[in-house]
Amino acid sequence: MKPALFLAAFATLAVAMPRALATDADGFAATYAAAQTAERQAGALHHQWTTTEADLKAAQAAAARHDNAAAIRLAQEAAALARLSIAQAQDQDAHWRDAVVQ
Amino acid sequence: MQRGGSGRLSRRLPGGFLASLVALLCALAPPAVAAAANKVDPAADLQAFQAYFHAAFPTVALDDFANGPYAVNQDMRKQWEEIMQFPPYDFALDAGKTAFATPFKNGKTYAGCFPKGGIGIRQDYPYFDAKSGEVVTLDLAINQCRVRNGEKPLPYGSGEIAAIAAYMASTSRGKPFDIKIPDDPRALAAYEDGKKFFYTRRGQLNFSCASCHVQAAGKRLRGDILAPALGILAAFPIYRSAWGGLGTIDRRFISCNAQVRAVPLPPEDRTYRDLAYFLAYMSNGVAIAGPGARP
């Protein structure tokens, strides 16, 4: 029984672990790609933030050292910052004249 | 007594139609008003801009605005006057004078590229170049001159280009900014682009150039006194103690943008040149005082 149990446990791990790792890696890739897309959009509007760029670099560095949790968190933060910078660009495009000295 | 055409019109058209017509005209009115507000009128902007700073700093003479924070803070002014006994930019100024006069490999010099041999012309820069359809700053003109004479362009921001620009500025001291905005849609668009950049909030800190240099001009930001935007380019290039050397307008734009956590544009980017065009035009009448020294 014992060898059978060991084999079953091994088989479970052998199937589950790569899938979990792949899920993490896929999760990072998707999150990072979304952040990059948003940042490129901010770039087209000339409204990128240095903090977004720093988070994107830090996310890649975390992914390179296989710290997927940190990598995903940083990519999510970069995506959020990029979206805020796009919102800022759109708001300012509509309202910058309000600040003009009259 | 019948009142002319409108009476005839009212007889032919039902009241509901007239009400609709009035409503339609009213609905069309706001865009017309907005269009008037959005009209590019540099002369009106200049008048409002300078009036704002004269009202904010009634004791500061127009030319003194070239001295930035030292014009509006007496304690800093005293320190600056002491510093200016031995101006920290003097060595760079000498180097710039030498570089300006040193012939290129083809035997020509910078003087051949500029009107009046490049002496006493700083107050006319930036200008709108009708041929290229773009704003030309003094720094850009220096590099265009080099390229025309078979030399590599200098890196922007500091070093030799700042030294040459400093020397050229020094030959214009006392001459008031005289920036022209020709009646050319491209020139007006460049002016408007610079104006938009100046008033647009950017970066994670959500600051515009105007946040500091209009709305908070003369106030403290940590250890610094914020310079008024009026005359802010008149002392460039500047020696900044924080830089430990001379820097150009590009360098200041880039560092300002980075300080508010906005990704800066490349030096001499078209929008930065448009921004310099707008700011220099707003300072028309302020005498050139470059190179200057700042904390």
Side-chain angles (χ1 to χ4, degrees):
Chain A
M1 282 300 286
K2 275 185 184 173
L5 268 176
F6 176 78
L7 276 175
F10 180 79
T12 307
L13 279 173
V15 172
M17 274 195 65
R19 189 175 289 169
L21 285 174
T23 304
D24 273 3
D26 291 349
F28 168 70
T31 311
Y32 188 82
Q36 266 192 321
T37 302
E39 181 62 347
R40 271 198 291 271
Q41 198 182 337
L45 299 167
H46 301 295
H47 261 263
Q48 286 173 317
W49 293 357
T50 53
T51 37
T52 315
E53 294 286 303
D55 273 354
L56 284 171
K57 273 187 195 159
Q60 272 202 324
R65 62 173 187 271
H66 304 295
D67 184 354
N68 276 336
I72 290 172
R73 182 180 52 76
L74 286 161
Q76 285 170 338
E77 193 173 290
L81 290 174
R83 283 194 293 271
L84 284 170
S85 65
I86 293 165
Q88 179 191 51
Q90 290 166 341
D91 173 75
Q92 286 298 291
D93 194 47
H95 296 115
W96 68 271
R97 285 180 194 282
D98 296 348
V100 174
V101 173
Q102 301 291 339
Chain B
M1 183 180 164
Q2 185 65 51
R3 282 187 304 160
S6 63
R8 284 195 298 273
L9 187 68
S10 63
R11 278 201 305 275
R12 285 178 196 167
L13 299 173
F17 178 82
L18 277 179
S20 302
L21 187 64
V22 170
L24 179 67
L25 288 173
C26 287
L28 288 174
V33 171
N38 294 345
K39 185 175 174 284
V40 183
D41 188 349
D45 288 348
L46 172 66
Q47 200 174 7
F49 196 84
Q50 295 203 356
Y52 173 88
F53 284 102
H54 285 311
F57 305 101
T59 60
V60 177
L62 181 62
D63 279 349
D64 209 15
F65 279 102
N67 297 318
Y70 310 121
V72 297
N73 184 281
Q74 287 309 304
D75 290 342
M76 284 188 80
R77 190 180 188 98
K78 281 176 194 163
Q79 291 177 35
W80 172 64
E81 283 168 352
E82 294 284 326
I83 289 168
M84 292 304 281
Q85 297 293 318
F86 299 98
Y89 49 71
D90 264 359
F91 292 114
L93 196 55
D94 287 345
K97 185 176 182 180
T98 303
F100 184 82
T102 302
F104 302 125
K105 288 187 212 83
N106 64 6
K108 295 181 180 175
T109 64
Y110 288 104
C113 294
F114 293 95
K116 300 176 191 168
I119 303 302
I121 59 163
R122 165 71 181 99
Q123 69 282 358
D124 301 325
Y125 285 78
Y127 72 91
F128 181 77
D129 177 37
K131 197 181 283 182
S132 65
E134 291 189 15
V135 169
V136 177
T137 61
L138 186 59
D139 300 353
L140 182 67
I142 289 168
N143 264 345
Q144 285 176 338
C145 177
R146 293 180 61 84
V147 171
R148 272 204 301 276
N149 284 287
E151 303 285 333
K152 282 185 181 169
L154 296 168
Y156 288 110
S158 58
E160 194 172 333
I161 200 160
I164 294 167
Y167 167 66
M168 293 177 78
S170 74
T171 67
S172 274
R173 278 185 174 164
K175 293 176 188 260
F177 259 126
D178 186 22
I179 307 301
K180 307 272 194 311
I181 302 194
D183 188 16
D184 178 326
R186 298 168 305 165
L188 291 168
Y191 166 85
E192 194 70 355
D193 182 44
K195 178 179 164 183
K196 182 179 179 183
F197 192 91
F198 180 76
Y199 285 108
T200 295
R201 289 176 179 270
R202 63 191 67 253
Q204 193 185 21
L205 299 189
N206 200 34
F207 273 49
S208 68
C209 307
S211 303
C212 287
H213 299 290
V214 175
Q215 290 133 25
K219 294 187 170 66
R220 276 194 184 279
L221 186 68
R222 305 176 86 177
D224 291 327
I225 300 287
L226 294 164
L230 176 56
I232 201 165
L233 299 192
F236 272 87
I238 54 168
Y239 181 98
R240 285 197 78 205
S241 306
W243 293 340
L246 270 182
T248 63
I249 294 161
D250 273 325
R251 190 173 177 183
R252 195 70 194 103
F253 288 162
I254 288 168
S255 62
C256 274
N257 282 171
Q259 279 171 331
V260 301
R261 301 181 189 168
V263 173
L265 302 172
E268 289 300 303
D269 182 271
R270 190 170 180 158
T271 295
Y272 274 165
R273 283 182 279 131
D274 292 346
L275 174 61
Y277 191 43
F278 166 75
L279 280 171
Y281 181 78
M282 287 296 105
S283 298
N284 264 354
V286 178
I288 298 296
R294 297 287 184 273

